[in-house]
Amino acid sequence: MVDTGLATERAVRAWRRILERSPAIGLLPILLILLFIFFGLYEPKFWRGANLINVLRNSSYLMIISAGQMLVLVIGGFDLSVGAVVALTSVAAGLVMADLYAAWPDAASLAIVIGLVVGLAVGSAIGVINGVTVAFLRVSPFMVTLGTMSIAFGLALYVTRGVPVYGLPDEFTREFGRLRWFNVPVVVYLTAGIIGVLWWVMNWTRLGRYVYAIGGNIHASRVSGIPTIAYIVITYTMCSFLAAVTGVLLTARVGSGEATLGTTLMLESIAAAVIGGVSLRGGVGRVEFVALGALFLALVTNGMNLLRVDSKIQTIVIGAVLIIAVGLDQMKIKGRGQ
Amino acid sequence: MTALTPPEALGRRPLKALVQFVVLYGALPIIIALMYLGFGLIEPAFHSGENAINILKQSSYLAILAAGQLFALLTRGFDLSVGQLISLVSVAGGLVMLDVLEGSPGAVALAVFAGIAVGLGAGLATGVVNGVCVAVFRINPFVVTLGMLGICMGFATTLSDGFPVFNLPEGLTNTLSRADVIGIPVPVIAALLVLGTAYVILNHSVLGRSMYVIGSNPRAAHTAGLRSRLHLASAYVICSVFVAVGALLLTARTGSGEPNLGGGLMLQSIAAAVIGGVSLRGGEGKVIHAVYGALFVTVLSVGMNLIRVDGTIQQIILGIVVVAAVYLDQLRTRFR
Amino acid sequence: MSETHRDDRAAGAGQDELLLAMAGITKRFPGVVALDDVDFDVRRGEVHVLFGENGAGKSTLINIVAGTYPQDDGTMTFDGRRITHLTPHQSRLAGISPVFQEFSLAPDLTVEENLFLGREQARWGVLRKGAMRTRAREVLHDLGFDLRPGARVGQLMRAQQQMTEIAKALLQDLKLFILDEPTASLTERETNRLFALIERLKGEGVGIIYVSHRINEIRRVGDRVTVLRDGKKIGTVQASNVEETKLVEMMTGRRIDALFPDIAAMAGDAMLDVRNLSTVDGRLSDVSFEVRAGEIVGVAGLVGCGKSELARAVFGLDKFSVGELDVLGERVAHPTPTGMLKRGVCYFPSDRVAEGLALSRPVRENASVAALDLADFTRWRFIRRRQERTAIKRIVEELRVRPPQIERSVDHLSGGNRQKVMLARGLTRDIRVFLFDEPTVGIDVGAKTEVYQFLGELTKRGAAVLLISSELPEVVNLAHRVYVMHEGRIVNHLEGNEITEEAVLASFFGTGADAPSAGAAAG
């Protein structure tokens, strides 16, 4: 109305224009590059190949589990149980492998395969329970997955009595934990493959299309004849399956089945997805940006480690970064909404 | 409910009364009573007066936290930072008490007061940041309080270096945990005060009225001329201050400032509120619901402890019970 | 489309022509009987208009046909088969394609993706995007709709979303096409295109249910008209030879002059004076108007012309970029809802569910919510509950809210009673300027007259009333002065005897435009 009002308004508009012109999610890639340059200038070790590979490997686990979380968020849900699924998978796979390996030391690969199958199946089963309870009984996903989280952690602790499961076949840790191709850990290739497949699924298949549709407007989807219940169950199952994969890979990395393995992953996976632009209201989210979100978190952690920032202070920084990243994104949505 | 023919209706009258009670007050009071009786049948010690007081005392901590969470839930949000805030308050309060005692040994009362003041201050500050981010910057409460969770955890562990703060003044534990007034333990009294405050705010103040409207329909709150941003932010401030009170009582109980004190309490506080009958969709929930939820969780866990159910099994049972309770509550709203 | 069931022909040619037959349909919702023993049928190649006021049961009827919810009583036969337990999906598979006012579109998907939603072309679950894009282009081109297949639906204008919805309905094997007030957001050109499309579908033997409350449209496209009122079927008439007054009488149940009270103008001082107002979002530009004490000022125009934004900007809900606003002679630089209420201005939104009421809260709280800063209701920011109860009880009785229970939550009330709860806000404090946005949308005839009488009462007491409405008769019969809006500007101002439907309509498409034929005009 008055000049100052116009000036501020102009400034706001200019700011919004910058945000709007930035591609799709906008700030994240730019932020990643800036961080990359900043850490490198401050601590040249950061740019070394070995360190970068390390960052990639550390972010791989988070990428897989966050991609699963993204699926559930996009369909309009929520999964608090992913961390517990990691723990349960780790324990289940670990116990089966260790027992079979102890019984038949020669058949290590058979033990590994059966252990993997059992672990992945147990983990996915949690997803089926989540999906069925959310879709059929229409209980809030928050509460359902809170419950299954408690159940899965409880089971994992009960089975192991809190003691890590040792005695896994060496081949397992070697193949899945430490193996490198062209000096890059095999986990990184696997993650790239999973993200690629999910990208394809979300963009080129009926499943992906329906996940977006259901998250955007479940009523419209139902009316259009999409079997929404089935797709919700499938999505929760996929999420738990991916969490189970993460559980198996982490087990291979630490070399034992542990009931405390996934404790921080639930919050981190949601943080990575949200930083990657996934809407908590459903319908919006792209797997490639979620991967970037996970990479971002890993990069920040790694950089701070190299800068010798106290690990306790790191949690403060990550918390603040999360709020600010989403706050900026919020400004962008407002700018577009006009 | 289908219409019943008269003779049938006569026979089913008690059932009908029961259904009506459940529709009105929820199934929870009955379930809590049945659980209390049931555990007593298995283990007679459960019915001792001592244990009754113990249950009351144990549930007061959770009731305070759930009452805090109630404010966030009412306004369509929730507060994930609750657990880590407890740790932060515990550590910060504890350290301040030690510092004051170091400066002037013997000034126990001063030390305790300073610790309490700093603890409440930490809660207030956290609540203000949460509230401003949610209400003014319009950032999703999940994200805000998730970020705040990290921040509180970081501060708590940094301040304490990850170790418990020992050697807190005996006076703290004596007054805030062990003492009683005419037989009622101090934590129970504190809980009654907090719950009473919450009740007055929600039922008798403009602020509380506004929170219900915001939770039920935020846009309607704005068109009705309510100062919805201020009121929304206040919900988070109240939540954090209540949590700080709970944290100080918990610190007094353990007798040390603990960086891991709050670990599982975030989820427990939400679970208690929601089991008690607070809606996750906002706009619906009463103080009594927080009490129901806290009593339910406490009776269940004290009972299971007494009949020696394994801790991990307890966790599994709690998980199942949470889902079942929410599902039943949903059935109740459909009935209405 | 022509594969009729020859086997059923024994019943006679008349039976064969019947595509849909509904008999004795009854539907109850908590607190209301939405449909009461209604018979309805549609022949092949016919446009059967469902006519009635908002809340008459039109939407309920088409929702039953579309399978959104089942009827409580009555039978339904479609295409020669008795139909029970219909789901939305089954109804679509059977060839019933509804276009509701509330769209069934996923906002985050593109136009093309929405067109194929639920029946994507795919091989082994893998989408054939190329084939679908080609087909989407064809369909849109064929319909003459100006839509980009790659545009995200959530970012489209309402009219474009409407076109997407229509295109989506046409993409499938179509036997019965349901249109629910399709022209509400369309321009005249788009409306003409839609009517051409309807003609074409009729030629192909498609049956069409056309829901509307606009008389001009009915004459133009309808074959038969069924009038509903308060959930009951009043009668079915031929569209070609029915008198307009007759239809209105059937619709309202009374003569039109009895519906609207005679409200004397006693224009006093200017209570609200707006000069050269434009909003930040550009939906209003350079708007000037005033409302004086003791008069009703009407605002008319097409959907999206900016008439709602007028009230919203004044009340501080939409930001304005330039302009001056005087309330009771005082300049208001930054209007906010809180501040405007303090100055005695109250806004009654058109969408009471989305913006007006906290549905899960009781009547009492919803009625008193706008007055919680007054000493009548609060002391030191604490609520004086007894005073509140007595005051609200009195107001609720004065407004004849049914049932008169102030502790009942608002979601149990009918549309008319919900509106009365909103109106109660105007009586809880000293409101001098009333901004009504579509005050009678979604309420029955009885409540409508009560609202009109309420407006009369207000003016008698010397209040200033701004009446924004899409119901032309309302504006024409109640307002003492009328502003007509077009594309965010006020294009005409009418006073006294100048106010006729023709004169108002003539300005709907901007100044100087010839009186438009039917189309988007309100009945």
Side-chain angles (χ1 to χ4, degrees):
Chain A
M1 276 144 263
V2 268
D3 285 347
T4 52
L6 273 179
T8 47
E9 194 182 300
R10 217 172 284 150
V12 169
R13 274 194 196 160
W15 177 232
R16 279 186 185 151
R17 223 173 296 135
I18 294 171
L19 288 171
E20 273 164 46
R21 278 191 194 159
S22 51
I25 168 90
L27 286 177
L28 190 56
I30 302 169
L31 218 58
L32 270 172
I33 294 168
L34 287 179
L35 267 182
F36 184 77
I37 296 171
F38 169 79
F39 281 137
L41 290 177
Y42 215 87
E43 174 59 75
K45 260 192 259 167
F46 180 80
W47 280 340
R48 278 192 204 152
N51 183 57
L52 293 180
I53 286 171
N54 193 24
V55 170
L56 271 186
R57 183 177 60 185
N58 286 341
S59 61
S60 291
Y61 306 101
L62 188 56
M63 279 185 194
I64 299 175
I65 201 167
S66 308
Q69 185 70 259
M70 178 209 78
L71 294 175
V72 173
L73 288 173
V74 168
I75 209 165
F78 223 104
D79 195 345
L80 301 180
S81 69
V82 285
V85 167
V86 167
L88 187 61
T89 308
S90 172
V91 165
L95 280 176
V96 170
M97 269 184 222
D99 285 356
L100 288 178
Y101 188 53
W104 296 286
D106 302 331
S109 21
L110 187 68
I112 292 172
V113 170
I114 296 178
L116 284 182
V117 170
V118 170
L120 294 177
V122 168
S124 309
I126 300 284
V128 176
I129 296 173
N130 284 340
V132 168
T133 322
V134 168
F136 269 114
L137 304 185
R138 304 205 186 165
V139 184
S140 139
F142 187 88
M143 295 315 290
V144 172
T145 55
L146 178 61
T148 47
M149 174 180 110
S150 185
I151 295 169
F153 265 133
L155 274 176
L157 282 170
Y158 181 70
V159 179
T160 59
R161 301 268 136 216
V163 182
V165 180
Y166 293 113
L168 305 187
D170 288 339
E171 289 86 342
F172 179 58
T173 28
R174 211 186 314 131
E175 300 288 324
F176 291 88
R178 277 183 258 127
L179 183 67
R180 287 168 178 247
W181 293 341
F182 307 110
N183 206 24
V184 176
V186 80
V187 176
V188 176
Y189 295 106
L190 188 63
T191 306
I194 288 176
I195 299 294
V197 168
L198 278 177
W199 177 84
W200 179 78
V201 167
M202 294 308 277
N203 288 288
W204 288 91
T205 69
R206 197 178 266 165
L207 172 63
R209 177 72 50 88
Y210 287 176
V211 170
Y212 284 115
I214 293 171
N217 185 344
I218 189 165
H219 172 73
S221 308
R222 219 177 278 138
V223 167
S224 304
I226 299 174
T228 49
I229 292 180
Y231 277 92
I232 291 173
V233 174
I234 291 173
T235 307
Y236 276 92
T237 311
M238 282 170 75
C239 174
S240 289
F241 175 77
L242 290 170
V245 170
T246 312
V248 168
L249 293 174
L250 280 172
T251 310
R253 187 165 180 213
V254 298
S256 58
E258 308 213 10
T260 52
L261 208 50
T263 35
T264 60
L265 280 174
M266 178 262 283
L267 291 178
E268 280 175 25
S269 68
I270 295 174
V274 169
I275 289 178
V278 179
S279 162
L280 288 170
R281 262 160 288 152
V284 179
R286 301 173 65 97
V287 67
E288 57 272 32
F289 287 115
V290 172
L292 282 186
L295 183 63
F296 176 81
L297 284 179
L299 203 66
V300 172
T301 314
N302 179 273
M304 288 194 294
N305 280 336
L306 286 181
L307 301 185
R308 273 163 238 98
V309 176
D310 189 337
S311 70
K312 298 158 216 145
I313 292 183
Q314 288 186 16
T315 55
I316 302 178
V317 173
I318 288 183
V321 163
L322 175 66
I323 298 179
I324 292 166
V326 176
L328 288 175
D329 203 47
Q330 179 76 21
M331 273 186 80
K332 185 169 132 185
I333 293 168
K334 257 195 214 160
R336 273 206 192 137
Q338 292 294 322
Chain B
M1 281 178 287
T2 50
L4 298 168
T5 50
E8 269 177 274
L10 268 177
R12 295 215 185 152
R13 197 157 276 168
L15 184 70
K16 225 177 175 182
L18 184 73
V19 167
Q20 245 162 19
F21 181 87
V22 169
V23 169
L24 268 177
Y25 303 101
L28 213 52
I30 299 172
I31 295 176
I32 295 173
L34 287 179
M35 267 173 23
Y36 186 76
L37 291 175
F39 279 122
L41 289 180
I42 303 174
E43 173 60 67
F46 191 80
H47 277 168
S48 67
E50 218 175 303
N51 191 47
I53 290 190
N54 179 37
I55 288 175
L56 275 186
K57 195 175 156 187
Q58 296 303 325
S59 54
S60 21
Y61 302 104
L62 191 53
I64 292 174
L65 304 179
Q69 197 65 256
L70 166 68
F71 281 84
L73 288 170
L74 269 188
T75 52
R76 287 197 178 181
F78 33 84
D79 191 343
L80 302 180
S81 63
V82 161
Q84 297 306 325
L85 176 60
I86 292 172
S87 304
L88 175 60
V89 168
S90 176
V91 167
L95 285 173
V96 167
M97 287 180 211
L98 286 192
D99 276 356
V100 173
L101 279 180
E102 205 173 302
S104 48
V108 174
L110 179 70
V112 169
F113 274 119
I116 290 175
V118 167
L120 292 178
L124 189 69
T126 308
V128 168
V129 175
N130 279 341
V132 166
C133 284
V134 171
V136 180
F137 297 119
R138 309 250 144 216
I139 307 177
N140 188 303
F142 186 90
V143 174
V144 171
T145 56
L146 178 59
M148 189 49 82
L149 179 157
I151 294 172
C152 287
M153 180 158 78
F155 275 114
T157 43
T158 310
L159 288 174
S160 66
D161 246 344
F163 298 107
V165 182
F166 289 119
N167 301 324
L168 295 188
E170 278 284 303
L172 178 71
T173 309
N174 285 338
T175 48
L176 289 188
S177 178
R178 287 196 203 122
D180 59 59
V181 179
I182 48 167
I184 310 168
V186 169
V188 178
I189 292 173
L192 288 176
L193 284 177
V194 168
L195 295 169
T197 313
Y199 180 84
V200 172
I201 293 175
L202 288 180
N203 293 285
H204 290 279
S205 79
V206 175
L207 178 63
R209 175 69 59 84
S210 179
M211 284 172 184
Y212 280 113
V213 177
I214 292 169
S216 177
N217 186 349
R219 285 177 68 193
H222 188 56
T223 13
L226 295 172
R227 302 173 66 189
S228 44
R229 284 186 191 188
L230 179 71
H231 296 157
L232 179 56
S234 309
Y236 287 87
V237 175
I238 294 174
C239 173
S240 293
V241 170
F242 281 8
V243 168
V245 172
L248 290 166
L249 291 170
L250 284 167
T251 309
R253 186 176 73 173
T254 52
S256 54
E258 298 274 347
N260 301 319
L261 191 59
L265 286 173
M266 173 260 283
L267 292 176
Q268 270 196 41
S269 67
I270 296 178
V274 174
I275 290 174
V278 181
S279 165
L280 276 171
R281 284 164 304 235
E284 275 177 83
K286 296 179 182 161
V287 177
I288 193 71
H289 293 150
V291 178
Y292 285 162
L295 270 177
F296 178 84
V297 173
T298 313
V299 168
L300 187 64
S301 63
V302 170
M304 288 195 294
N305 277 337
L306 268 183
I307 62 173
R308 278 165 236 93
V309 175
D310 187 290
T312 54
I313 301 273
Q314 286 193 21
Q315 202 173 347
I316 299 171
I317 292 177
L318 191 66
I320 296 171
V321 162
V322 165
V323 179
V326 179
Y327 177 61
L328 285 178
D329 183 61
Q330 211 134 34
L331 287 185
R332 180 170 71 100
T333 33
R334 268 182 231 165
F335 240 112
R336 224 173 10 199
Chain C
M1 228 83 324
S2 55
E3 4 125 59
T4 46
H5 290 253
R6 304 279 156 191
D7 314 343
D8 301 342
R9 270 201 126 175
Q15 279 295 327
D16 181 51
E17 276 182 1
L18 272 189
L19 180 62
L20 172 78
M22 303 170 85
I25 300 290
T26 299
K27 178 73 192 172
R28 292 175 212 95
F29 290 113
V32 265
V33 180
L35 284 178
D36 187 2
D37 195 21
V38 171
D39 299 338
F40 184 74
D41 60 61
V42 182
R43 299 182 191 134
R44 293 175 209 279
E46 169 198 55
V47 176
H48 194 158
V49 177
L50 261 180
F51 185 65
E53 304 204 299
N54 289 312
K58 297 171 300 191
S59 301
T60 313
L61 190 64
I62 56 173
N63 268 303
I64 288 172
V65 179
T68 312
Y69 33 67
Q71 68 270 30
D72 294 326
D73 237 325
T75 58
M76 192 164 131
T77 315
F78 179 70
D79 211 8
R81 257 165 299 164
R82 178 78 176 275
I83 288 185
T84 47
H85 303 299
L86 195 63
T87 67
H89 184 45
Q90 284 166 350
S91 104
R92 279 176 200 232
L93 285 182
I96 300 173
S97 225
V99 176
F100 291 116
Q101 283 176 292
E102 191 188 309
F103 302 141
S104 62
L105 301 171
D108 307 304
L109 299 185
T110 63
V111 169
E112 170 198 327
E113 289 166 348
N114 266 295
L115 289 186
F116 288 93
L117 193 63
R119 39 168 197 273
E120 286 77 5
Q121 299 181 11
R123 191 182 292 141
W124 304 107
V126 181
L127 300 172
R128 301 171 61 190
K129 285 192 177 180
M132 286 194 283
R133 169 142 303 190
T134 319
R135 179 94 180 89
R137 284 238 168 79
E138 275 170 24
V139 170
L140 291 176
H141 181 79
D142 191 30
L143 294 173
F145 286 167
D146 190 17
L147 284 173
R148 207 160 49 80
R152 223 154 269 286
V153 163
Q155 287 167 356
L156 295 179
M157 306 284 289
R158 205 185 140 80
Q160 294 172 310
Q161 293 182 347
Q162 172 93 63
M163 290 190 276
T164 311
E165 186 80 34
I166 291 173
K168 183 182 169 192
L170 292 177
L171 205 62
Q172 75 174 66
D173 191 19
L174 190 60
K175 288 187 181 130
L176 179 64
F177 193 32
I178 303 173
L179 288 161
D180 186 6
E181 308 250 359
T183 55
S185 54
L186 297 185
T187 65
E188 202 196 359
R189 215 175 107 232
E190 290 157 353
T191 304
N192 287 333
R193 201 163 278 159
L194 175 68
F195 287 168
L197 177 74
I198 289 176
E199 280 305 317
R200 208 177 82 193
L201 290 173
K202 271 172 72 173
E204 291 171 10
V206 175
I208 294 163
I209 303 178
Y210 191 100
V211 177
S212 179
H213 64 274
R214 295 170 185 215
I215 288 179
N216 305 1
E217 284 181 10
I218 292 171
R219 287 267 185 69
R220 200 162 150 199
V221 297
D223 295 316
R224 285 189 296 161
V225 184
T226 289
V227 182
L228 295 180
R229 182 194 337 135
D230 296 337
K232 292 196 184 68
K233 175 173 165 177
I234 302 302
T236 302
V237 292
Q238 292 297 320
S240 49
N241 53 15
V242 67
E243 297 262 324
E244 185 171 328
T245 47
K246 170 97 162 80
L247 273 182
V248 174
E249 251 183 76
M250 287 171 78
M251 171 172 84
T252 58
R254 62 194 87 186
R255 300 199 55 81
I256 208 159
D257 44 333
L259 187 61
F260 299 101
D262 213 10
I263 300 168
M266 309 175 288
D269 299 337
M271 308 283 267
L272 183 68
D273 188 3
V274 174
R275 286 179 305 278
N276 312 107
L277 177 120
S278 301
T279 51
V280 173
D281 57 20
R283 294 205 188 163
L284 287 181
S285 54
D286 200 23
V287 170
S288 302
F289 69 97
E290 62 167 8
V291 189
R292 278 178 262 149
E295 68 167 352
I296 297 180
V297 173
V299 182
L302 293 170
V303 169
C305 69
K307 58 185 193 300
S308 298
E309 285 78 5
L310 207 64
R312 301 181 64 83
V314 168
F315 197 60
L317 291 169
D318 288 352
K319 266 197 202 147
F320 53 82
S321 48
V322 285
E324 288 171 352
L325 166 64
D326 288 355
V327 176
L328 307 174
E330 262 181 70
R331 177 67 42 88
V332 183
H334 300 281
T336 60
T338 322
M340 293 310 274
L341 281 167
K342 279 209 169 82
R343 290 170 191 273
V345 181
C346 189
Y347 166 68
F348 301 87
S350 59
D351 193 337
R352 294 182 288 275
V353 173
E355 215 176 6
L357 296 163
L359 286 183
S360 60
R361 306 306 302 168
V363 170
R364 173 176 49 80
E365 292 184 11
N366 273 290
S368 69
V369 67
L372 292 180
D373 53 332
L374 298 183
D376 300 0
F377 292 108
T378 55
R379 187 192 292 138
W380 300 318
R381 310 294 293 156
F382 283 95
I383 294 169
R384 304 163 74 181
R385 293 185 59 139
R386 193 160 353 113
Q387 277 86 343
E388 184 194 19
R389 251 193 322 267
T390 358
I392 299 303
K393 203 162 208 150
R394 185 177 48 75
I395 293 170
V396 158
E397 271 159 22
E398 187 184 330
L399 289 171
R400 290 193 292 275
V401 176
R402 289 287 167 271
Q405 296 161 356
I406 60 171
E407 298 303 331
R408 223 179 147 81
S409 69
V410 177
D411 48 10
H412 292 296
L413 299 184
S414 68
N417 285 302
R418 286 182 186 181
Q419 178 64 309
K420 287 182 191 169
V421 174
M422 283 299 295
L423 297 181
R425 287 184 191 170
L427 302 180
T428 51
R429 60 189 304 155
D430 185 21
I431 298 290
R432 315 290 289 278
V433 181
F434 289 78
L435 311 172
F436 289 108
D437 192 357
E438 310 283 359
T440 57
V441 73
I443 70 182
D444 59 46
V445 185
K448 260 186 193 178
T449 46
E450 286 182 88
V451 169
Y452 297 148
Q453 271 152 14
F454 181 73
L455 296 191
E457 281 296 311
L458 293 177
T459 40
K460 220 176 274 170
R461 287 184 211 171
V465 175
L466 187 71
L467 170 65
I468 298 164
S469 179
S470 298
E471 306 267 329
L472 260 193
E474 215 166 272
V475 175
V476 168
N477 286 293
L478 291 173
H480 304 117
R481 294 189 295 122
V482 174
Y483 292 98
V484 186
M485 294 194 65
H486 177 66
E487 290 183 351
R489 294 168 187 278
I490 289 179
V491 291
N492 205 352
H493 175 232
L494 304 163
E495 233 171 319
N497 291 335
E498 295 168 16
I499 307 174
T500 59
E501 291 208 12
E502 291 71 33
V504 175
L505 272 176
S507 319
F508 264 31
F509 297 93
T511 32
D514 301 329
S517 53

